[in-house]
Amino acid sequence: MPTVALFVPCYVDQLYPQVAVATLRLLERHGCRVVFPPDQTCCGQPMANAGQAADAAPLAIRFLDTFAGYDHVVAPSGSCVAMVKHQYPGLAPDHPKLEEVRSRTFELCEYLHDVLGVRRVEGRFPHVVGLHRSCHGQRELRLASGSERQVPPFDKVKTLLSSLTGIQLVEPARTDECCGFGGTFAATEEAVSCLMGRDRLDEHAKAGAEVITGVDMSCLMHLDGLARREGRPVRIRHVAEVLLGEAT
Amino acid sequence: MTAPATTPAAPTVHPGGQQSGPFPGHPAAAARFIADVDRAHWHDQALWFVRVKRDRAAAQLPAWERLRDLAQAIKAHALSDLARYLEEFERNATAHGAVVHWARDAEEHNRIVHQLLAERGVTRVVKSKSMLTEECGLNPYLEARGLEVVDTDLGERIVQFRHEPPSHIVLPAIHIKKEEIGELFHDKLGTAAGASDPKYLTEAARGHLREKFLGAQAGLTGVNFAVADTGAVVVCTNEGNADMGTALPPLHIACMGLEKLVPRSEDLGVFLRLLARSATGQPVTTYATHFLGPKPGGELHIVLVDNGRSALSGRDPFRRALSCIRCGACMNTCPVFRRTGGYSYGTTVPGPIGSVLGPTQGPGAHATLPFASTLCGSCADVCPVRIDLHHQLLAWRKELVLGGFAPVGKTLALRLTAWVFASPWRFALAGRLARLALRLLPRGLMATLSGAWGKQRDLPPPPPESFRDLYRRTHGRP
Ligand code: SF4
């Protein structure tokens, strides 16, 4: 039984605890012993992506110190995991645990699919669901083959979702276009960010999605914020909540 | 590689009512474009259509990803030994009777071209699309000296009529609707009022351009590829205007950036297949003309332009941007470009690659460009030569922050946030306060406080406790 350290991104911890709970329960259901190291805070992505490497580096070091020594580190977030995997070598190049932690850190679906070898998730989710493929999961972690590349098609998140009982997955017309969140982009380029988000909501609505799900709560927070403001009927759920299924 | 070298750090000003005064930065220019949502959506659809065509064309080649690998490797190799390949190219081109000129910057390029024309008494020039001459500001330079320069590519001619620069490197008039072109042609070419049929308008432009071709005393072209082992320059067009423009006049001047060099003729097979498919979704451009020496009785002059390129080749990681073959695919796929238009970048080359190249010319004037991206990475996956565009944008952000070009308010806010995150108890406390504020403050006030987030978006309803509190309550402290 692997011991999994749960990494809960800062804003998920504070604003979406139910997503962390769902992640924890899902991992336990698939045979993991899960712990939450309390010294964790934030992976440093907001600073790193704004170009503030000096501000991100101490957070990268804290992360590596906190998560060293576990079998695996799992997070319900594609972009935070991409941060650890791809940006930490530049931020904390000399940290003794860098390689160990990097190579053992996974996004939730990636972990279930690749490490635990899960192809079927027991559960029921009888709704029409649109999958939002967030960019960092898509193009940094390669959770799916991607519309730009000519490689054999695969989609790890979709594989897991489609195994749920009763779920009906629908595709937006532009299968993997960005929602416009982009971290601080959501504020500095507010106009474009919101237009992109509304366009995503429109395409999911056109496809008939009642629920939009994805691996990054940040993108979903942006979509949810737009949908709430306009009173759109769509519900936004993190993939961990969907995979946990609805109690029957 | 963007603004004319005479004013390297000055913001590019776009006429034609798009922008006046100094470049306001991407967010402001973008917001202005988006204010007309229907137009932004129309622009987005037009470019997405091209992206879809590109996807289909790429899917037809089973070896697509392998071709991209090859293209990347060939370019990397050529750039690593550029001096030798340039000399080889010069030797071979000269042996075939072409004259090779070297220009350090835009100013020198313009001077060389003007001198060649003036010495031969040329006053009427036809040009086939070249972003390099756009970069160097050649048209205004020649016009100020009394020459008539006619851009013969249809899209280029349209923006030239409107006194605008191209808004896209492959689709220069993509921002203009066909009804607007109808009005423009009615005004300039006397076509029927209210006409918007593309075929009719294209015919009218053709007739007009034919006259220009017939009357031209020199033809100017850009260069898509220069081949070191033969000395040939290759120009790709769909309208055949490079061929028309160089077939009649005795003088052909081909202007190229140093980075256009490929080592061998065989390499062209890789690039020609990638270029057209990436640019427009065609299997190959209609015309890919190889110019090897001048035509009988004519002259061929090749101007090799540096204008910052050799400096860039010494800069990691930005040197990879020199591999760009100017297909425009990164613009067509970029969700920000599609919705904000080429002029929102304020550079000759806009979009993802333009946001990498822009700051190399003057970081201050182009400081907002590397931030005009969500780092979604679609550009890098589309790029036929595999330039890691979004990683280069990230690298630029770091340089701009170090150079003091990032907005101070944002930098400080993130620094403060990092300080809060540096300690678990500060983080927990700040979170508790934020959730309390979310719960207690009226929605309107929260929207104001949350600034750019709250203008069009709601904040999530706050949960009663954070995960860490909940976990401690249920699991105890480990
Ligand atoms: S960066 Fe790549 S995709 Fe963009 S124009 Fe250049 S070659 Fe094309």
Side-chain angles (χ1 to χ4, degrees):
Chain A
M1 186 157 74
T3 300
V4 170
L6 189 60
F7 166 45
V8 179
C10 49
Y11 66 99
V12 172
D13 181 14
Q14 296 299 325
L15 296 174
Y16 299 101
Q18 72 277 16
V19 172
V21 171
T23 307
L24 188 147
R25 289 180 53 195
L26 200 59
L27 287 167
E28 283 178 345
R29 195 185 279 182
H30 286 93
C32 302
R33 198 175 85 81
V34 186
V35 295
F36 175 77
D39 281 349
Q40 61 178 293
T41 55
C42 164
C43 66
Q45 189 185 192
M47 297 81 203
N49 281 0
Q52 296 180 221
D55 297 311
L59 298 175
I61 292 165
R62 158 174 288 279
F63 186 99
L64 294 168
D65 289 343
T66 305
F67 286 102
Y70 295 99
D71 293 332
H72 301 115
V73 183
V74 175
S77 163
S79 69
C80 299
V81 170
M83 167 78 190
V84 172
K85 284 198 183 290
H86 299 315
Q87 295 208 49
Y88 276 18
L91 290 171
D94 302 324
H95 196 285
K97 302 293 179 188
L98 172 69
E99 275 319 308
E100 176 197 314
V101 176
R102 262 185 85 205
S103 60
R104 294 180 188 181
T105 302
F106 301 91
E107 183 278 324
L108 172 65
C109 291
E110 181 186 38
Y111 184 69
L112 291 173
H113 187 280
D114 291 357
V115 181
L116 300 183
V118 176
R119 294 295 180 274
R120 265 201 69 79
V121 178
E122 297 301 330
R124 235 174 75 80
F125 200 78
H127 302 282
V128 184
V129 176
L131 170 58
H132 173 65
R133 296 177 176 84
S134 61
C135 301
H136 288 173
Q138 180 74 10
R139 300 190 191 86
E140 298 285 356
L141 300 181
R142 301 289 182 206
L143 296 181
S145 43
S147 61
E148 299 91 354
R149 299 190 311 149
Q150 303 305 314
V151 296
F154 64 91
D155 191 328
K156 298 173 189 177
V157 184
K158 194 174 166 183
T159 302
L160 296 177
L161 282 173
S162 57
S163 72
L164 290 166
T165 307
I167 197 168
Q168 188 192 338
L169 283 171
V170 290
E171 288 281 352
R174 300 174 185 184
T175 53
D176 50 14
E177 170 135 306
C178 177
C179 69
F181 171 67
T184 54
F185 181 88
T188 55
E189 291 266 8
E190 190 260 350
V192 202
S193 173
C194 291
L195 182 60
M196 287 168 68
R198 271 197 302 274
D199 288 352
R200 286 321 284 156
L201 289 172
D202 287 344
E203 295 205 336
H204 277 289
K206 241 180 264 166
E210 300 162 2
V211 176
I212 298 175
T213 191
V215 302
D216 264 290
M217 206 55 231
S218 50
C219 306
L220 296 178
M221 175 170 74
H222 163 68
L223 292 175
D224 189 45
L226 289 163
R228 273 174 199 280
R229 178 62 59 91
E230 296 183 355
R232 296 189 188 222
V234 67
R235 281 174 299 143
I236 313 277
R237 293 286 180 274
H238 189 269
V239 72
E241 299 172 274
V242 176
L243 287 176
L244 202 59
E246 288 189 341
T248 41
Chain B
M1 215 163 296
T2 50
T6 41
T7 53
T12 313
V13 176
H14 291 300
Q18 293 295 329
Q19 277 161 28
S20 53
F23 178 59
H26 189 272
R32 199 185 308 182
F33 189 79
I34 287 176
D36 186 347
V37 172
D38 292 341
R39 195 172 188 100
H41 275 144
W42 166 80
H43 191 266
D44 168 58
Q45 293 287 353
L47 287 165
W48 183 256
F49 177 77
V50 186
R51 156 74 208 272
V52 170
K53 270 181 76 187
R54 171 263 171 215
D55 292 351
R56 258 188 247 126
Q60 280 165 5
L61 286 190
W64 183 256
E65 297 300 325
R66 169 116 182 82
L67 275 179
R68 292 176 71 211
D69 287 337
L70 269 174
Q72 179 190 22
I74 294 167
K75 277 288 181 183
H77 169 73
L79 288 168
S80 72
D81 210 356
L82 193 57
R84 185 167 68 82
Y85 284 120
L86 283 168
E87 281 167 23
E88 186 185 347
F89 170 76
E90 182 180 32
R91 239 188 350 266
N92 289 323
T94 310
H96 285 101
V99 184
V100 176
H101 307 261
W102 299 79
R104 219 166 294 123
D105 54 24
E107 172 64 25
E108 195 172 1
H109 161 266
N110 293 348
R111 210 171 341 114
I112 291 169
V113 173
H114 177 246
Q115 198 176 345
L116 287 169
L117 297 170
E119 278 168 3
R120 289 158 186 78
V122 171
T123 56
R124 293 186 309 274
V125 183
V126 287
K127 215 176 82 188
S128 174
K129 190 166 179 247
S130 154
M131 287 312 291
L132 176 72
T133 58
E134 202 57 54
E135 170 189 325
C136 295
L138 180 67
N139 282 19
Y141 184 94
L142 294 180
E143 280 157 7
R145 284 155 185 80
L147 282 86
E148 182 199 63
V149 190
V150 175
D151 281 313
T152 60
D153 172 274
L154 180 58
E156 292 264 317
R157 187 63 181 142
I158 291 167
V159 292
Q160 193 181 29
F161 273 144
R162 287 166 56 115
H163 307 290
E164 289 172 6
S167 75
H168 183 293
I169 60 173
V170 173
L171 311 158
I174 190 71
H175 60 294
I176 309 168
K177 298 188 177 185
K178 60 183 194 291
E179 292 76 20
E180 294 163 335
I181 295 171
E183 269 176 51
L184 182 73
F185 280 12
H186 172 63
D187 192 30
K188 302 280 182 188
L189 303 177
T191 51
S196 66
D197 173 36
K199 204 164 165 276
Y200 167 74
L201 294 175
T202 307
E203 270 315 309
R206 267 197 157 160
H208 157 74
L209 286 171
R210 178 147 314 177
E211 277 170 39
K212 297 296 178 188
F213 282 128
L214 289 171
Q217 299 154 307
L220 252 69
T221 68
V223 171
N224 290 94
F225 304 101
V227 187
D229 75 353
T230 62
V233 293
V234 181
V235 186
C236 304
T237 69
N238 274 323
E239 297 161 30
N241 44 336
D243 310 76
M244 292 280 279
T246 54
L248 294 175
L251 174 63
H252 173 190
I253 305 175
C255 304
M256 59 176 272
L258 300 183
E259 83 285 8
K260 296 283 168 178
L261 223 60
V262 298
R264 308 161 307 170
S265 278
E266 293 101 281
D267 301 330
L268 288 173
V270 174
F271 290 105
L272 290 177
R273 279 192 280 175
L274 286 172
L275 175 64
R277 285 181 172 86
S278 299
T280 55
Q282 294 165 275
V284 72
T285 42
T286 316
Y287 302 91
T289 307
H290 299 234
F291 294 97
L292 186 59
K295 60 176 176 270
E299 289 181 77
L300 172 62
H301 292 261
I302 303 169
V303 190
L304 290 164
V305 184
D306 187 327
N307 205 30
R309 286 163 173 78
S310 50
L312 193 61
S313 76
R315 285 187 72 178
D316 241 357
F318 306 116
R319 90 155 54 89
R320 284 182 70 180
L322 282 177
S323 305
C324 174
I325 58 173
R326 299 290 193 266
C327 69
C330 57
M331 294 157 207
N332 304 341
T333 205
C334 177
V336 176
F337 181 96
R338 275 190 261 114
R339 288 174 181 80
T340 63
Y343 296 143
S344 71
Y345 294 81
T347 49
T348 302
V349 178
I353 180 67
S355 298
V356 174
L357 296 175
T360 66
Q361 285 283 313
H366 303 297
T368 56
L369 297 190
F371 296 92
S373 160
T374 61
L375 305 181
C376 77
S378 185
C379 47
D381 272 357
V382 132
C383 177
V385 284
R386 288 196 195 280
I387 301 173
D388 56 339
L389 289 157
H390 64 305
H391 293 156
Q392 301 216 1
L393 293 176
L394 189 57
W396 257 123
R397 292 181 184 191
K398 276 187 211 145
E399 292 226 356
L400 291 169
V401 167
L402 286 175
F405 292 108
V408 180
K410 181 177 149 194
T411 311
L412 285 179
L414 283 169
R415 179 152 304 153
L416 179 68
T417 314
W419 178 79
V420 169
F421 285 158
S423 118
W425 72 261
R426 278 200 295 264
F427 169 61
L429 179 66
R432 218 163 288 149
L433 291 174
R435 271 179 290 113
L436 195 67
L438 275 176
R439 236 189 342 265
L440 298 183
L441 297 177
R443 192 173 123 149
L445 181 60
M446 266 324 291
T448 319
L449 283 178
S450 64
W453 180 272
K455 235 172 115 185
Q456 304 184 56
R457 286 167 289 219
D458 277 2
L459 282 158
E465 63 182 341
S466 66
F467 176 75
R468 65 183 57 222
D469 290 345
L470 188 152
Y471 186 85
R472 185 175 308 131
R473 199 159 47 71
T474 51
H475 290 69
R477 216 183 146 87

